[in-house]
Amino acid sequence: MITMDNIIREGNPTLRAVAKEVTVPLADEDITLGTEMMEFLHNSQDPVKAEELGLRGGVGLAAPQLDISKRIIAVHVPSGDLENPEPTLSAVMYNPKILSHSVQDACLGEGEGCLSVDREVPGYVVRHNKITLSYVDAAGVKQKIRLKNYEAIVVQHEIDHLNGVMFYDHINAENPYALQDGVLVIE
Ligand SMILES: OCN(O)CCCc1ccccc1
Ligand code: NI
């Protein structure tokens, strides 16, 4: 089971490496890894288990954060309303690739954090508002989906990890809250 002890922190060179594509059909070890990454996200969002296991809550995780330089990410975005517990996005994605994106940019009003960064780094992280994404799913099937707003932000954060990019690389050093005209701020 993955815990915080398995998550490498900034300074580890793996976080700055470009991760390698996984072979398709998927190897058993890659399928198992994806399952464990998703299990971590579920546990991290469960108040009892997160407390028990000392987990920071996360809506996404990338294999390089486990010191495994492979193009595998897991995302699990809860719906947020208890009436409808279905997550808005829940997937393990192998070899995810952004095929196209909106001209419209967006950022989270509260900025971003990262399980591999043990400090607050304030500022807007400007990303694409909408993306068209291809990936291979846990069944080995090629998927093509469109995401927008928060879900698109989360997936871009994870894909950045596959390319050695950290969220704060996007923050304007002179003025962390500088915003170009027209950037959508997602609260
Ligand atoms: O890489 C996953 N991770 O460090 C957990 C936090 C994920 C995340 C946080 C804020 C906005 C987008 C994504
Ligand atoms: Ni991260």
Side-chain angles (χ1 to χ4, degrees):
M1 172 181 66
I2 297 172
T3 66
M4 296 308 294
D5 293 343
N6 302 105
I7 295 178
I8 61 173
R9 310 301 155 92
E10 49 184 337
N12 187 315
T14 304
L15 287 173
R16 288 304 189 180
V18 176
K20 277 189 71 176
E21 290 214 331
V22 298
T23 54
V24 178
L26 298 173
D28 286 351
E29 76 175 279
D30 293 337
I31 295 170
T32 301
L33 176 59
T35 305
E36 290 176 341
M37 290 167 70
M38 183 58 79
E39 181 199 30
F40 170 85
L41 296 180
H42 291 157
N43 290 342
S44 81
Q45 294 174 25
D46 176 318
V48 174
K49 289 191 181 139
E51 163 79 23
E52 246 167 46
L53 297 165
L55 306 182
R56 268 183 68 186
V59 291
L61 188 66
Q65 294 181 277
L66 303 171
D67 209 11
I68 300 171
S69 200
K70 291 184 176 180
R71 302 186 81 80
I72 306 171
I73 67 174
V75 290
H76 187 76
V77 182
S79 70
D81 83 43
L82 292 177
E83 261 50 285
N84 165 15
E86 280 308 298
T88 58
L89 177 66
S90 184
V92 177
M93 300 181 177
Y94 297 90
N95 301 333
K97 186 176 170 56
I98 294 172
L99 300 176
S100 62
H101 60 79
S102 58
V103 170
Q104 175 72 53
D105 286 342
C107 63
L108 298 183
E110 62 195 33
E112 297 187 12
C114 184
L115 293 171
S116 296
V117 178
D118 295 327
R119 61 194 171 101
E120 299 275 318
V121 185
Y124 288 141
V125 180
V126 177
R127 299 184 186 277
H128 306 308
N129 181 224
K130 298 179 181 179
I131 58 173
T132 301
L133 178 73
S134 71
Y135 65 93
V136 175
D137 68 15
V141 176
K142 192 142 175 146
Q143 302 289 342
K144 180 174 166 183
I145 61 170
R146 287 166 189 72
L147 297 172
K148 64 181 178 186
N149 302 330
Y150 185 62
E151 286 71 19
I153 298 269
V154 171
V155 167
Q156 290 173 81
H157 176 114
E158 303 316 327
I159 291 177
D160 266 358
H161 278 303
L162 305 183
N163 297 319
V165 175
M166 301 295 282
F167 74 90
Y168 45 73
D169 297 344
H170 299 284
I171 295 175
N172 181 314
E174 285 72 48
N175 174 358
Y177 290 101
L179 268 188
Q180 308 282 342
D181 280 352
V183 176
L184 177 68
V185 179
I186 299 168
E187 298 298 349

